[in-house]
CSV table of all heavy atoms in Angstrom, one decimal:
chain,number,residue,atom,x,y,z
A,1,PHE,N,-12.7,49.9,-40.6
A,1,PHE,CA,-11.7,50.7,-41.3
A,1,PHE,C,-10.3,50.3,-40.8
A,1,PHE,O,-9.4,50.1,-41.7
A,1,PHE,CB,-11.9,52.2,-41.0
A,1,PHE,CG,-10.9,53.1,-41.7
A,1,PHE,CD1,-11.1,53.5,-43.0
A,1,PHE,CD2,-9.8,53.6,-41.0
A,1,PHE,CE1,-10.2,54.3,-43.6
A,1,PHE,CE2,-8.9,54.4,-41.6
A,1,PHE,CZ,-9.1,54.8,-43.0
A,2,CYS,N,-10.1,50.2,-39.6
A,2,CYS,CA,-8.7,49.8,-39.1
A,2,CYS,C,-8.3,48.4,-39.5
A,2,CYS,O,-7.2,48.1,-39.8
A,2,CYS,CB,-8.7,49.9,-37.5
A,2,CYS,SG,-8.7,51.6,-37.0
A,3,LEU,N,-9.3,47.5,-39.5
A,3,LEU,CA,-9.0,46.1,-40.0
A,3,LEU,C,-8.5,46.1,-41.5
A,3,LEU,O,-7.6,45.5,-41.9
A,3,LEU,CB,-10.2,45.2,-39.8
A,3,LEU,CG,-10.3,44.5,-38.5
A,3,LEU,CD1,-11.6,43.8,-38.4
A,3,LEU,CD2,-9.2,43.5,-38.3
A,4,VAL,N,-9.3,46.9,-42.3
A,4,VAL,CA,-8.9,47.0,-43.7
A,4,VAL,C,-7.5,47.6,-43.9
A,4,VAL,O,-6.7,47.1,-44.7
A,4,VAL,CB,-10.0,47.8,-44.5
A,4,VAL,CG1,-9.5,48.2,-45.8
A,4,VAL,CG2,-11.3,47.0,-44.5
A,5,GLN,N,-7.2,48.6,-43.1
A,5,GLN,CA,-5.9,49.3,-43.2
A,5,GLN,C,-4.8,48.3,-42.7
A,5,GLN,O,-3.7,48.3,-43.3
A,5,GLN,CB,-5.9,50.6,-42.4
A,5,GLN,CG,-6.7,51.7,-43.1
A,5,GLN,CD,-6.3,52.0,-44.5
A,5,GLN,OE1,-5.1,52.3,-44.7
A,5,GLN,NE2,-7.2,52.1,-45.4
A,6,GLY,N,-5.1,47.6,-41.6
A,6,GLY,CA,-4.1,46.7,-41.1
A,6,GLY,C,-3.8,45.5,-42.1
A,6,GLY,O,-2.7,45.1,-42.2
A,7,MET,N,-4.9,45.1,-42.7
A,7,MET,CA,-4.7,44.0,-43.7
A,7,MET,C,-3.9,44.5,-44.9
A,7,MET,O,-3.1,43.7,-45.5
A,7,MET,CB,-6.1,43.5,-44.2
A,7,MET,CG,-6.8,42.7,-43.2
A,7,MET,SD,-6.1,41.1,-42.9
A,7,MET,CE,-6.5,40.3,-44.5
A,8,LYS,N,-4.0,45.7,-45.2
A,8,LYS,CA,-3.2,46.3,-46.3
A,8,LYS,C,-1.7,46.2,-46.0
A,8,LYS,O,-0.9,46.0,-46.9
A,8,LYS,CB,-3.5,47.7,-46.5
A,8,LYS,CG,-4.4,48.0,-47.6
A,8,LYS,CD,-4.5,49.6,-47.8
A,8,LYS,CE,-5.6,50.0,-48.7
A,8,LYS,NZ,-5.7,51.4,-48.8
A,9,ARG,N,-1.4,46.4,-44.7
A,9,ARG,CA,0.0,46.5,-44.3
A,9,ARG,C,0.6,45.3,-43.7
A,9,ARG,O,1.8,45.2,-43.6
A,9,ARG,CB,0.1,47.7,-43.3
A,9,ARG,CG,-0.2,49.0,-44.0
A,9,ARG,CD,-0.6,50.1,-43.0
A,9,ARG,NE,-0.7,51.4,-43.6
A,9,ARG,CZ,-1.7,51.8,-44.3
A,9,ARG,NH1,-2.7,51.0,-44.5
A,9,ARG,NH2,-1.7,53.0,-44.8
A,10,LEU,N,-0.2,44.3,-43.3
A,10,LEU,CA,0.2,43.1,-42.7
A,10,LEU,C,-0.4,41.9,-43.4
A,10,LEU,O,-1.4,42.0,-44.1
A,10,LEU,CB,-0.2,43.1,-41.2
A,10,LEU,CG,0.2,44.2,-40.4
A,10,LEU,CD1,-0.5,44.1,-39.0
A,10,LEU,CD2,1.7,44.3,-40.2
A,11,ALA,N,0.2,40.7,-43.3
A,11,ALA,CA,-0.4,39.5,-43.8
A,11,ALA,C,-1.7,39.2,-43.0
A,11,ALA,O,-1.8,39.6,-41.8
A,11,ALA,CB,0.6,38.4,-43.7
A,12,PRO,N,-2.7,38.5,-43.6
A,12,PRO,CA,-3.9,38.3,-42.8
A,12,PRO,C,-3.7,37.6,-41.5
A,12,PRO,O,-4.3,38.1,-40.5
A,12,PRO,CB,-4.7,37.3,-43.8
A,12,PRO,CG,-4.1,37.7,-45.1
A,12,PRO,CD,-2.7,38.0,-44.9
A,13,THR,N,-2.9,36.6,-41.4
A,13,THR,CA,-2.7,35.9,-40.1
A,13,THR,C,-2.1,36.8,-39.1
A,13,THR,O,-2.5,36.8,-37.9
A,13,THR,CB,-1.9,34.6,-40.3
A,13,THR,OG1,-2.5,33.8,-41.3
A,13,THR,CG2,-1.8,33.8,-39.0
A,14,TYR,N,-1.1,37.6,-39.5
A,14,TYR,CA,-0.5,38.5,-38.6
A,14,TYR,C,-1.4,39.6,-38.1
A,14,TYR,O,-1.5,39.9,-36.9
A,14,TYR,CB,0.8,39.1,-39.2
A,14,TYR,CG,1.6,39.9,-38.3
A,14,TYR,CD1,2.0,39.5,-37.1
A,14,TYR,CD2,2.1,41.2,-38.8
A,14,TYR,CE1,2.8,40.3,-36.3
A,14,TYR,CE2,2.9,41.9,-38.0
A,14,TYR,CZ,3.3,41.5,-36.7
A,14,TYR,OH,4.0,42.3,-35.9
A,15,ALA,N,-2.2,40.2,-39.0
A,15,ALA,CA,-3.1,41.2,-38.7
A,15,ALA,C,-4.2,40.7,-37.7
A,15,ALA,O,-4.4,41.3,-36.7
A,15,ALA,CB,-3.8,41.8,-39.9
A,16,ILE,N,-4.7,39.6,-38.0
A,16,ILE,CA,-5.8,39.0,-37.1
A,16,ILE,C,-5.2,38.7,-35.7
A,16,ILE,O,-5.8,38.9,-34.7
A,16,ILE,CB,-6.4,37.8,-37.7
A,16,ILE,CG1,-7.3,38.2,-38.9
A,16,ILE,CG2,-7.3,37.0,-36.7
A,16,ILE,CD1,-8.5,39.1,-38.6
A,17,SER,N,-3.9,38.2,-35.7
A,17,SER,CA,-3.3,37.8,-34.4
A,17,SER,C,-3.1,39.1,-33.6
A,17,SER,O,-3.4,39.0,-32.4
A,17,SER,CB,-1.9,37.2,-34.7
A,17,SER,OG,-2.0,36.0,-35.4
A,18,VAL,N,-2.7,40.1,-34.2
A,18,VAL,CA,-2.5,41.4,-33.4
A,18,VAL,C,-3.9,41.9,-33.0
A,18,VAL,O,-4.0,42.3,-31.8
A,18,VAL,CB,-1.8,42.5,-34.3
A,18,VAL,CG1,-1.8,43.8,-33.6
A,18,VAL,CG2,-0.4,42.0,-34.6
A,19,VAL,N,-4.9,41.9,-33.8
A,19,VAL,CA,-6.2,42.3,-33.4
A,19,VAL,C,-6.8,41.5,-32.3
A,19,VAL,O,-7.3,42.1,-31.3
A,19,VAL,CB,-7.2,42.2,-34.6
A,19,VAL,CG1,-8.6,42.4,-34.2
A,19,VAL,CG2,-6.8,43.3,-35.7
A,20,LEU,N,-6.7,40.2,-32.3
A,20,LEU,CA,-7.2,39.4,-31.3
A,20,LEU,C,-6.5,39.6,-30.0
A,20,LEU,O,-7.0,39.5,-28.9
A,20,LEU,CB,-7.2,37.9,-31.7
A,20,LEU,CG,-8.2,37.6,-32.8
A,20,LEU,CD1,-8.1,36.2,-33.2
A,20,LEU,CD2,-9.6,38.0,-32.5
A,21,THR,N,-5.2,39.8,-30.0
A,21,THR,CA,-4.4,40.0,-28.8
A,21,THR,C,-4.8,41.4,-28.2
A,21,THR,O,-4.9,41.5,-27.0
A,21,THR,CB,-2.9,40.0,-29.2
A,21,THR,OG1,-2.6,38.7,-29.7
A,21,THR,CG2,-2.0,40.2,-27.9
A,22,ALA,N,-4.9,42.4,-29.0
A,22,ALA,CA,-5.4,43.7,-28.5
A,22,ALA,C,-6.8,43.6,-27.9
A,22,ALA,O,-7.0,44.1,-26.9
A,22,ALA,CB,-5.4,44.7,-29.7
A,23,GLN,N,-7.6,42.8,-28.5
A,23,GLN,CA,-9.0,42.6,-28.0
A,23,GLN,C,-8.9,41.9,-26.7
A,23,GLN,O,-9.6,42.3,-25.7
A,23,GLN,CB,-9.8,41.7,-29.0
A,23,GLN,CG,-11.2,41.5,-28.7
A,23,GLN,CD,-12.0,40.8,-29.8
A,23,GLN,OE1,-11.4,40.4,-30.8
A,23,GLN,NE2,-13.2,40.6,-29.5
A,24,LEU,N,-8.1,40.8,-26.6
A,24,LEU,CA,-8.0,40.1,-25.3
A,24,LEU,C,-7.4,41.0,-24.2
A,24,LEU,O,-7.9,41.0,-23.1
A,24,LEU,CB,-7.1,38.9,-25.5
A,24,LEU,CG,-6.9,38.0,-24.3
A,24,LEU,CD1,-8.2,37.4,-23.8
A,24,LEU,CD2,-6.0,36.8,-24.6
A,25,GLY,N,-6.3,41.7,-24.5
A,25,GLY,CA,-5.7,42.6,-23.5
A,25,GLY,C,-6.7,43.7,-23.1
A,25,GLY,O,-6.7,44.0,-21.9
A,26,THR,N,-7.4,44.3,-24.0
A,26,THR,CA,-8.4,45.3,-23.6
A,26,THR,C,-9.5,44.8,-22.8
A,26,THR,O,-9.9,45.4,-21.8
A,26,THR,CB,-8.9,46.0,-24.9
A,26,THR,OG1,-7.8,46.5,-25.7
A,26,THR,CG2,-9.9,47.1,-24.6
A,27,ALA,N,-10.0,43.6,-23.2
A,27,ALA,CA,-11.0,42.9,-22.4
A,27,ALA,C,-10.6,42.6,-21.0
A,27,ALA,O,-11.3,42.8,-20.0
A,27,ALA,CB,-11.5,41.7,-23.1
A,28,LEU,N,-9.3,42.2,-20.8
A,28,LEU,CA,-8.8,41.9,-19.5
A,28,LEU,C,-8.7,43.2,-18.7
A,28,LEU,O,-9.1,43.2,-17.5
A,28,LEU,CB,-7.3,41.3,-19.7
A,28,LEU,CG,-6.6,41.1,-18.4
A,28,LEU,CD1,-7.3,40.1,-17.5
A,28,LEU,CD2,-5.1,40.6,-18.7
A,29,LEU,N,-8.3,44.3,-19.3
A,29,LEU,CA,-8.3,45.6,-18.6
A,29,LEU,C,-9.7,46.0,-18.2
A,29,LEU,O,-9.9,46.4,-17.0
A,29,LEU,CB,-7.6,46.6,-19.5
A,29,LEU,CG,-7.6,48.0,-18.9
A,29,LEU,CD1,-6.6,48.1,-17.8
A,29,LEU,CD2,-7.2,49.0,-20.0
A,30,TRP,N,-10.6,46.0,-19.1
A,30,TRP,CA,-12.0,46.4,-18.7
A,30,TRP,C,-12.6,45.5,-17.7
A,30,TRP,O,-13.4,46.0,-16.9
A,30,TRP,CB,-12.8,46.5,-20.0
A,30,TRP,CG,-12.4,47.7,-20.9
A,30,TRP,CD1,-11.5,48.7,-20.5
A,30,TRP,CD2,-12.8,48.0,-22.2
A,30,TRP,NE1,-11.4,49.6,-21.6
A,30,TRP,CE2,-12.2,49.2,-22.6
A,30,TRP,CE3,-13.7,47.4,-23.1
A,30,TRP,CZ2,-12.3,49.7,-23.8
A,30,TRP,CZ3,-13.8,47.9,-24.3
A,30,TRP,CH2,-13.2,49.1,-24.7
A,31,ASP,N,-12.4,44.2,-17.8
A,31,ASP,CA,-13.0,43.3,-16.8
A,31,ASP,C,-12.4,43.6,-15.5
A,31,ASP,O,-13.1,43.6,-14.5
A,31,ASP,CB,-12.7,41.8,-17.2
A,31,ASP,CG,-13.6,41.2,-18.2
A,31,ASP,OD1,-14.7,41.8,-18.4
A,31,ASP,OD2,-13.3,40.2,-18.8
A,32,SER,N,-11.1,43.8,-15.4
A,32,SER,CA,-10.4,44.0,-14.2
A,32,SER,C,-10.8,45.3,-13.5
A,32,SER,O,-10.8,45.4,-12.3
A,32,SER,CB,-8.9,44.0,-14.4
A,32,SER,OG,-8.4,42.7,-14.9
A,33,LEU,N,-11.1,46.3,-14.3
A,33,LEU,CA,-11.5,47.6,-13.8
A,33,LEU,C,-13.0,47.7,-13.6
A,33,LEU,O,-13.4,48.7,-13.0
A,33,LEU,CB,-10.9,48.7,-14.6
A,33,LEU,CG,-9.4,48.8,-14.7
A,33,LEU,CD1,-8.9,49.8,-15.7
A,33,LEU,CD2,-8.8,49.0,-13.3
A,34,GLY,N,-13.7,46.8,-14.2
A,34,GLY,CA,-15.2,46.9,-14.1
A,34,GLY,C,-15.8,48.1,-14.9
A,34,GLY,O,-16.8,48.7,-14.6
A,35,TRP,N,-15.1,48.5,-16.0
A,35,TRP,CA,-15.5,49.6,-16.8
A,35,TRP,C,-16.8,49.3,-17.6
A,35,TRP,O,-17.1,48.1,-17.9
A,35,TRP,CB,-14.4,50.1,-17.8
A,35,TRP,CG,-13.3,50.8,-17.1
A,35,TRP,CD1,-13.2,51.1,-15.8
A,35,TRP,CD2,-12.1,51.2,-17.8
A,35,TRP,NE1,-12.0,51.7,-15.6
A,35,TRP,CE2,-11.3,51.8,-16.8
A,35,TRP,CE3,-11.6,51.1,-19.0
A,35,TRP,CZ2,-10.0,52.3,-17.1
A,35,TRP,CZ3,-10.4,51.6,-19.3
A,35,TRP,CH2,-9.6,52.2,-18.3
A,36,LEU,N,-17.5,50.3,-18.1
A,36,LEU,CA,-18.7,50.2,-18.9
A,36,LEU,C,-19.7,49.3,-18.4
A,36,LEU,O,-20.5,48.6,-19.1
A,36,LEU,CB,-18.2,49.7,-20.3
A,36,LEU,CG,-17.2,50.6,-21.1
A,36,LEU,CD1,-16.8,50.0,-22.4
A,36,LEU,CD2,-17.8,52.0,-21.3
A,37,GLY,N,-19.9,49.3,-17.1
A,37,GLY,CA,-20.9,48.5,-16.4
A,37,GLY,C,-20.6,47.0,-16.3
A,37,GLY,O,-21.5,46.3,-16.0
A,38,LEU,N,-19.4,46.6,-16.6
A,38,LEU,CA,-19.1,45.2,-16.5
A,38,LEU,C,-18.9,44.8,-15.0
A,38,LEU,O,-18.5,45.6,-14.2
A,38,LEU,CB,-17.8,44.9,-17.3
A,38,LEU,CG,-17.8,45.1,-18.8
A,38,LEU,CD1,-16.4,44.9,-19.3
A,38,LEU,CD2,-18.8,44.2,-19.4
């Protein structure tokens, strides 16, 4: 749902760039904190 809405409002490359950056930042946080059994 959020990807579809993001694509409506942003160009595909920009939307995917933001998504992947958020994914990387969140993964870094969860890895560093050891959340969710990581």
